Amino acid sequence: MTDQDCVFCKIVAGELPSTKVRETERVLAFRDINPKAPTHVMVIPKDHYANVAELSRSDPALAGELLAAAADVADDDGVSEDGWRLLANSGRNAGQEVFHVHLHVFGGKPLGPMLAV
Ligand code: AMP
């Protein structure tokens, strides 16, 4: 399942470059092109789902694989002990820019308050 106009589908297909850090049969993790922390990795399903709601209701097991991959990315980047953050934007108020579901993995420095106020 792919979306021809989706930038992350193009990364999965190898049509756009990315710095991959982890790959399984159904999940890909790669560094964010505009990192907001020393560790800033996108964890995505290879298949196209628009957001967390669509993914988790269609394939809860795949949603679980995404979480496990995020934890593995944190281990691989050496940020598990000091702590890290997962973020999934969904929709306009959250500022979602790419409509292929993704988990942001942040770490490598104190990450500040949960939300800007
Ligand atoms: P969001 O606001 O949650 O939709 O975040 C989308 C994220 O995708 C942003 O942090 C972007 O920097 C990142 N991004 C967009 N295009 C690329 C790309 N080609 N490679 C890596 N990260 C990207």
Side-chain angles (χ1 to χ4, degrees):
M1 195 188 336
T2 58
D3 177 333
Q4 286 186 336
D5 298 323
C6 170
V7 64
F8 286 178
C9 284
K10 288 182 177 160
I11 286 175
V12 170
E15 294 165 9
L16 279 178
S18 70
T19 304
K20 292 180 190 174
V21 296
R22 192 163 197 95
E23 183 166 12
T24 67
E25 191 185 335
R26 299 208 290 167
V27 174
L28 183 65
F30 53 92
R31 299 210 180 271
D32 196 289
I33 203 168
N34 183 21
K36 301 289 196 295
T39 289
H40 186 179
V41 172
M42 304 275 92
V43 181
I44 69 169
K46 291 181 176 176
D47 281 348
H48 184 94
Y49 298 92
N51 53 41
V52 166
E54 202 176 278
L55 167 66
S56 58
R57 289 172 186 149
S58 303
D59 194 337
L62 181 53
E65 286 182 39
L66 237 55
L67 286 175
D72 290 339
V73 164
D75 280 353
D76 291 346
D77 257 29
V79 300
S80 290
E81 193 176 327
D82 285 340
W84 52 289
R85 181 174 290 163
L86 267 186
L87 177 73
N89 290 317
S90 198
R92 188 176 53 244
N93 275 1
Q96 185 177 5
E97 293 173 358
V98 176
F99 289 83
H100 181 130
V101 65
H102 49 280
L103 302 179
H104 295 255
V105 177
F106 295 109
K109 67 172 187 180
L111 296 168
M114 191 163 54
L115 288 177
V117 286

